Amino acid sequence: GSNLSASCEITGIEEVKNFFKVNDLSVRPGSTFTLPVELENADKITGFQCNIYLPKGVEFVEVDDEYEVMLSSRTTSSHTLSSALQSDGSLLILVYSLSSKVIKGNSGELFSVSLKATDDYEGTNQIAVSKIKVATQTAKEYALPDVTVNIEEQIYIMCDANGDGNVSVGDIVL
């Protein structure tokens, strides 16, 4: 026998207190759709920034030379939204409050982006929300984990006017 002994300390992985969340989408080629982005937060968040990266066949919707990004009711009238296309093709979204107003609640939609699937869009691809940073009321800045959403091509069924995946009497009334 030897007099060797070993010990180890097991430490838990720190739970992420603040994170963005997106749900998978099904889109029809040639259609416009909305990408809702949610924030789950334990801290009092006053602002955030992120970049949205799109796959081939998906484009940002522009209205009057502005990208269509909408803040949810979780923000206040003192929150300012800016967005700009970056050289890598991503859309930078920046939201802040000069008076440090806190984003309301701890869960739910934070903003949405209008997107368009091109006529030749096909298959299943991913949209990435990356380079996410949030700021707290105490001026601390945190980087949050990137998130991705799968967007799947929705197959169109001839005569399915209401888009429910079936041809039935409901399609006639439309």
Side-chain angles (χ1 to χ4, degrees):
S2 78
N3 290 338
L4 296 177
S5 68
S7 68
C8 71
E9 182 180 328
I10 299 174
T11 58
I13 297 172
E14 183 180 332
E15 184 181 341
V16 178
K17 296 189 300 183
N18 306 297
F19 58 93
F20 275 23
K21 189 170 108 179
V22 287
N23 295 312
D24 291 347
L25 297 169
S26 181
V27 300
R28 187 173 291 155
S31 69
T32 299
F33 63 99
T34 301
L35 173 69
V37 179
E38 299 178 20
L39 170 66
E40 304 288 324
N41 57 295
D43 292 318
K44 292 183 177 187
I45 306 298
T46 58
F48 66 91
Q49 70 179 60
C50 64
N51 290 64
I52 310 281
Y53 291 86
L54 301 180
K56 183 179 184 287
V58 178
E59 303 168 344
F60 295 105
V61 171
E62 286 184 76
V63 175
D64 298 327
D65 294 327
E66 298 265 332
Y67 295 100
E68 197 163 291
V69 180
M70 288 80 47
L71 293 175
S72 76
S73 60
R74 291 188 65 191
T75 59
T76 69
S77 60
S78 74
H79 283 96
T80 301
L81 164 72
S82 283
S83 64
L85 197 62
Q86 303 299 290
S87 59
D88 63 3
S90 70
L91 184 66
L92 170 65
I93 297 171
L94 175 64
V95 173
Y96 59 92
S97 168
L98 290 176
S99 56
S100 295
K101 294 290 184 200
V102 173
I103 290 170
K104 299 177 218 164
N106 298 99
S107 179
E109 186 176 321
L110 184 57
F111 69 95
S112 61
V113 182
S114 290
L115 303 172
K116 180 177 182 5
T118 59
D119 291 335
D120 59 352
Y121 178 82
E122 61 184 16
T124 299
N125 297 286
Q126 290 189 328
I127 295 174
V129 183
S130 304
K131 301 179 183 175
I132 306 167
K133 291 183 183 173
V134 295
T136 67
Q137 213 170 19
T138 57
K140 287 188 179 170
E141 186 177 282
Y142 296 102
L144 304 188
D146 293 352
V147 292
T148 56
V149 56
N150 292 313
I151 53 169
E152 177 181 46
E153 176 186 5
Q154 182 181 11
I155 305 302
Y156 176 72
I157 299 171
M158 189 67 111
C159 300
D160 180 16
N162 62 8
D164 66 358
N166 298 302
V167 177
S168 63
V169 72
D171 299 301
I172 297 169
V173 242
L174 290 176

